[in-house]
Amino acid sequence: MKEYSFLTINAKSKGENGFEPCGNLNFTVYKKDTTGVVADIKIGEVKTNKDGKAKFVIPAKFVGLSTTYKVKSENDKKYEDADESITIKDINIEATIEKADNDYTIKAKLLSSTNTPVAEEALNIGLKRLFGNLSVGGAANYTTDADGAVEAKVEKGYTGLNGKLNFQVVLPESEKYGTVIANINTAFGVPIVDKSTFNERTMWSPPTKIPFFLLIIPNILLIGIWSILTILLFNLYKIYKSKN
């Protein structure tokens, strides 16, 4: 993404029950010298979570036109030393959204580091949602033409908080370029209307928001029952005293 670039690391080891995640495993990340003239440059460290996964944000000064990164685990008491390298080329997605006759169209271009159009690459265009992107334009992906361009018409009726929508144009898991994402933030969606009654006095609200009738009626019934019992006990006491 334009904001930053990162590496995703997934570490597994072969155990008795197959491959298992390597949790809390330290990795060192290097910018690798492919010429063999100078030593690899250490750019940071990262530790995997309990699922054996980690995300390493690459410092901007180490992002190059064509870069090889090496991720290495060493001197760990539980696992043997291991390393993996990946080479990626710099590429950019220029994405815009245009309006014509109350219709919106997303237009995107895939350009190399020298601003040369990149053709025959599949781009996904979607609306960002909580559990993934919702495809836009009726197609799962779009293939760039000779100008490196694609476009998709945006359907009407998308909802968003305060009408805000976040569209994404994604080059997914390319062997040459990795995963590249361009964000388009807009505010022409249908505002979400909050119809929740959770904080009102309803049967399904929190205990502090219990309906008034559930507070009043049961208490009246309890007071009435205890009043009757008190009167009965008092009368029994009077009967007992009169006999004596």
Side-chain angles (χ1 to χ4, degrees), residues 203-239:
M203 294 291 291
W204 46 87
S205 297
T208 56
K209 291 288 185 177
I210 188 171
F212 285 119
F213 74 90
L214 285 181
L215 290 172
I216 297 171
I217 295 177
N219 285 314
I220 291 175
L221 292 174
L222 286 173
I223 292 172
I225 292 170
W226 279 107
S227 297
I228 293 172
L229 291 174
T230 302
I231 293 170
L232 289 174
L233 289 172
F234 180 72
N235 288 332
L236 288 174
Y237 176 75
K238 289 175 64 177
I239 294 170

Side-chain angles (χ1 to χ4, degrees), residues 81-96:
D81 292 356
D83 64 81
E84 184 68 32
S85 298
I86 182 172
T87 302
I88 57 174
K89 295 182 179 180
D90 194 22
I91 199 169
N92 185 39
I93 298 175
E94 294 183 354
T96 59

Side-chain angles (χ1 to χ4, degrees), residues 12-51:
K12 293 182 179 181
S13 64
K14 191 172 183 180
E16 297 179 356
N17 300 320
F19 286 96
E20 302 172 350
C22 301
N24 298 318
L25 181 59
N26 292 310
F27 283 95
T28 306
V29 182
Y30 299 88
K31 183 177 180 181
K32 191 174 181 180
D33 177 57
T34 55
T35 63
V37 177
V38 296
D40 297 338
I41 302 173
K42 178 181 176 180
I43 60 177
E45 297 179 348
V46 68
K47 178 184 287 188
T48 58
N49 60 17
K50 64 178 182 178
D51 297 320

Side-chain angles (χ1 to χ4, degrees), residues 107-124:
K107 294 185 178 182
K109 279 190 175 182
L110 187 63
L111 304 172
S112 68
S113 57
T114 57
N115 285 328
T116 303
V118 179
E120 300 299 321
E121 290 285 350
L123 297 180
N124 298 337

